[in-house]
Amino acid sequence: MKNAIPILTVLLALVVIWYLAAIGMNSAWVRDQAARAGTELTTTELVKQTLTLERPVLPAPHQVAAGLWDGVAGQKITSKRSLVWHGWVTLSATLTGFAIGSLAGILLAVGIVHSRTMDQSVMPWAVASQTVPILAIAPMVIVVFASAGITGLLPKAIIAAWLSFFPVLVGMVKGLRTPDAMQLDQMKSWSASGGQVFWRLRLPSSMPYLFASLKVGIAAALVGTIVGELPAGASAGLGARLLSGSYYGQTVQIWAALFAAAALAAILVIAIGRIEGVTLRRMGLVR
Amino acid sequence: MKVLKLERHANMLIGLEALAGWLAILVTGLLISPKLAPVLLVWLCAWIFNTWLARFDTRLTRFLVALIFGLTIIALWEMIVRIYAIPPLILPAPSRIAASFVANIPLLWGDFVQTIVKGALTGWILGGAAAVLTAIAIDRSPFLQRGLLPIGNFVAALPIVGIAPILVMWFGFDWQSKAAVVVVMVFFPILVNMVAGLAATDRMQRDQMATWAAPYGQSLWKMRLPAAMPFLFNGLKITTTLALIGAIVAEFFGSPTTGMGFRISTAVGRLDLPLVWAEILVAAIAGSLFYGIVALIEKKVTFWHPSQRNQRG
């Protein structure tokens, strides 16, 4: 907790910079309005007006906070203006896709560790795929599924699954390979079967790697879902909220959706961190 | 000797087991749809050949195995599309994608220059430079480091792509807004890595510099910056993909009439999927090249680092 004070200081500095930037970036518009109305503005009035615009270039932190509060608590949860509702749409697709993608990644990793052919065939492509902006396929997946009559959760979940699949695969292969020759020899001298080596040595020692890659995977899954909500026609989800905000110049709405997405990402990553902590502690692998 | 023989028996058994498994897949596949026969046959042949090839485990055979696997996937894709007459509106065959790629080379090149060179590369260089300078600046203040690093780590996990609509509003539709998105996306991962790198010298090395009475500038330039290079390049390599993603996704929010993201979204709208796939192919090639070039520079710069010595495969 000795980091609390530095972190708070930096955050405070960021908020101050944000306010100054908001005043600076919005002042041109305010001055313009005043000149058109033929009125002179005092500095206090100028500052006051820049921080209360309806469609500011950069909304001030308190405006974003108000927008966020209004979206989370000010609406009925079933309302289309509720951020909780949009967040749930995004979250459900993210979690579905993440579950599919990480499960597939883990299974394939098990196969790769046990089959040299699979290792040499699949691994180079899995590693290379991380240098490729896979996210670019998102709009196509959405449209192709829509033309087949499938909309809603499934296409987005597939993008999320695809994005979380590769990090989990690569991390899990690395994890399953951590036992060194000495440990493997030890298992052999106990004449352990292949299954025993896997369940009692490889799988437990892969856990730290698995959780590290799950964190990367769920963040990627969320980004994938949000981008999957961008193509025209999507009306639900945080991505759609971003897009409609950018169409209608509703900057406060964009920022509120952005912060909601950030909060969602933080909650997901922290949740996995918690599960990681509990699991590793029960396994005696406390760090 | 006996042990060796036993092991060979075991290997053969495993081989037989695997073969039985593959035969089971073959039979079920045929029961589901007899039309799949050639697909399964090609798959099985390639797999058996790869299994045989994988035993040698040299650099060349490893490369060949991966290559054969990739080619097999493409061949199977082509066969499945043709056998089942899948309409190109859903999944175009690789041959059609290749044809579209060749036919549209000038168009694709224009999109590549607009998105990758102007948007992604400019943003990546600016963001990387800003991150390195920030890291050096906060390096002398442990207070700022303890404050900025957790925030940097946190921000690196957020869906930063979401700021694209805001930056497109601020900087207009052209490549400047895409470069701005890329700057924000690559800044924090590079910053976190660079700060870790600047802290990577050990006490003995620092004491040595102090013994020589080296001023701050010299010890930074001659000791700590070189020591930070492996970390810096780690960050630079991670962010090559992020840069491309940022530049492409930002174009979904508004762009001039060129650019890969623009082309993907409009071609999807016209259901011209071969062109979309060609564009994705360009993105894949650009991504691998970008990463490869950075890795190559890393090899030249950090030739002294253990991870660069005696590399295998």
Side-chain angles (χ1 to χ4, degrees):
Chain A
M1 276 300 102
K2 64 176 179 155
N3 283 346
I5 292 172
I7 293 176
L8 286 178
T9 316
V10 172
L11 281 180
L12 198 68
L14 286 179
V15 171
V16 171
I17 294 172
W18 187 348
Y19 266 111
L20 292 178
I23 293 169
M25 291 178 74
N26 297 334
S27 64
W29 162 263
V30 172
R31 280 216 188 85
D32 203 37
Q33 287 297 96
R36 250 181 240 172
T39 48
E40 280 292 316
L41 282 175
T42 62
T43 318
T44 20
E45 269 181 340
L46 181 80
V47 169
K48 204 176 151 196
Q49 284 195 25
T50 52
L51 297 180
T52 51
L53 288 176
E54 197 171 317
R55 290 181 183 183
V57 180
L58 175 62
H62 66 265
Q63 286 178 299
V64 176
L68 204 55
W69 178 251
D70 182 49
V72 172
Q75 313 284 337
K76 261 197 250 159
I77 288 182
T78 48
S79 154
K80 287 229 162 190
R81 293 176 60 193
S82 164
L83 276 176
V84 178
W85 184 73
H86 286 288
W88 168 248
V89 170
T90 302
L91 180 67
S92 53
T94 305
L95 287 181
T96 315
F98 173 67
I100 300 171
S102 48
L103 203 65
I106 292 170
L107 288 182
L108 194 60
V110 172
I112 282 177
V113 172
H114 287 98
S115 155
R116 191 189 289 174
T117 320
M118 239 161 137
D119 175 25
Q120 295 186 15
S121 304
V122 180
M123 250 342 241
W125 296 103
V127 173
S129 77
Q130 301 213 312
T131 67
V132 172
I134 309 178
L135 207 54
I137 65 162
M140 188 180 62
V141 173
I142 300 289
V143 169
V144 166
F145 274 86
S147 74
I150 304 168
T151 53
L153 185 137
L154 189 66
K156 289 188 280 177
I158 287 174
I159 298 167
W162 187 247
L163 282 172
S164 52
F165 171 71
F166 290 104
V168 173
L169 171 66
V170 173
M172 192 63 186
V173 167
K174 209 172 174 186
L176 289 173
R177 292 233 167 99
T178 37
D180 56 22
M182 192 138 47
Q183 290 166 315
L184 289 171
D185 283 351
Q186 175 74 82
M187 289 309 261
K188 206 167 210 170
S189 65
W190 284 332
S191 72
S193 69
Q196 282 173 330
V197 172
F198 177 75
W199 289 109
R200 307 210 173 155
L201 176 63
R202 284 196 191 276
L203 196 64
S205 46
S206 72
M207 282 302 130
Y209 291 84
L210 174 65
F211 279 111
S213 56
L214 283 183
K215 282 184 206 162
V216 176
I218 202 155
L222 182 64
V223 173
T225 311
I226 290 175
V227 173
E229 287 164 350
L230 291 183
S235 55
L238 294 174
R241 205 74 186 141
L242 283 176
L243 193 69
S244 73
S246 94
Y247 275 166
Y248 301 116
Q250 298 284 359
T251 38
V252 178
Q253 180 189 328
I254 300 181
W255 281 93
L258 192 59
F259 270 76
L264 201 56
I267 291 170
L268 290 174
V269 172
I270 289 172
I272 291 190
R274 279 286 153 82
I275 299 174
E276 175 183 24
V278 171
T279 313
L280 295 189
R281 207 168 307 131
R282 289 199 62 171
M283 286 171 51
L285 286 172
V286 184
R287 281 182 301 166
Chain B
M1 274 328 266
K2 197 162 181 203
V3 174
L4 209 78
K5 211 172 167 188
L6 261 180
E7 220 171 70
R8 197 174 296 159
H9 271 294
N11 271 341
M12 265 174 70
L13 269 182
I14 291 169
L16 280 179
E17 224 171 69
L19 203 63
W22 288 112
L23 276 177
I25 293 175
L26 191 69
V27 172
T28 13
L30 285 179
L31 285 178
I32 292 167
S33 160
K35 280 200 229 163
L36 270 178
V39 176
L40 291 171
L41 206 67
V42 169
W43 172 253
L44 208 61
C45 288
W47 193 260
I48 289 170
F49 184 66
N50 258 358
T51 310
W52 174 74
L53 207 59
R55 302 208 162 172
F56 296 98
D57 202 15
T58 62
R59 220 174 177 163
L60 179 70
T61 59
R62 277 171 163 263
F63 174 74
L64 281 179
V65 167
L67 187 70
I68 290 171
F69 181 77
L71 290 177
T72 312
I73 295 285
I74 293 176
L76 294 185
W77 175 354
E78 181 86 36
M79 285 166 80
I80 290 175
V81 168
R82 292 202 176 188
I83 290 174
Y84 288 97
I86 296 175
L89 292 184
I90 291 177
L91 186 70
S95 54
R96 293 194 63 155
I97 297 169
S100 172
F101 184 87
V102 173
N104 289 310
I105 281 181
L107 190 74
L108 294 172
W109 176 252
D111 293 345
F112 170 81
V113 171
Q114 169 75 18
T115 304
I116 308 289
V117 180
K118 287 188 191 163
L121 203 59
T122 319
W124 183 73
I125 292 172
L126 287 178
V132 169
L133 292 180
T134 312
I136 293 173
I138 68 169
D139 179 52
R140 297 183 92 170
S141 158
F143 182 79
L144 273 183
Q145 271 187 35
R146 278 193 309 181
L148 261 179
L149 274 193
I151 294 177
N153 271 321
F154 175 71
V155 173
L158 298 182
I160 309 183
V161 185
I163 58 154
I166 297 160
L167 294 181
V168 170
M169 269 182 200
W170 288 355
F171 296 100
F173 282 175
D174 209 355
W175 60 267
Q176 288 88 346
S177 62
K178 281 75 203 172
V181 174
V182 175
V183 166
V184 181
M185 281 185 81
V186 305
F187 180 78
F188 284 102
I190 298 180
L191 175 72
V192 170
N193 273 289
M194 188 66 192
V195 170
L198 286 174
T201 49
D202 59 31
R203 177 158 283 277
M204 191 129 61
Q205 293 165 324
R206 288 198 297 270
D207 284 352
Q208 176 73 82
M209 281 315 233
T211 329
W212 286 331
Y216 173 77
Q218 269 187 10
S219 79
L220 180 71
W221 186 248
K222 300 209 164 151
M223 173 183 72
R224 309 183 54 206
L225 278 184
M229 282 304 132
F231 291 82
L232 174 63
F233 273 99
N234 187 27
L236 290 179
K237 283 195 294 190
I238 298 171
T239 50
T240 52
T241 326
L242 285 181
L244 299 195
I245 289 176
I248 292 175
V249 172
E251 287 181 357
F252 295 159
F253 287 99
S255 63
T257 54
T258 55
M260 297 169 69
F262 166 80
R263 196 73 60 204
I264 288 174
S265 54
T266 52
V268 161
R270 289 187 287 117
L271 291 176
D272 186 0
L273 286 195
L275 182 59
V276 178
W277 278 99
E279 204 68 68
I280 290 170
L281 184 63
V282 173
I285 296 171
S288 323
L289 270 183
F290 195 0
Y291 186 92
I293 291 170
V294 176
L296 210 67
I297 299 173
E298 178 187 22
K299 219 167 182 172
K300 295 276 172 228
V301 174
T302 65
F303 59 90
W304 47 270
H305 194 258
S307 72
Q308 300 294 343
R309 288 186 222 131
N310 307 324
Q311 259 189 346
R312 209 198 73 164

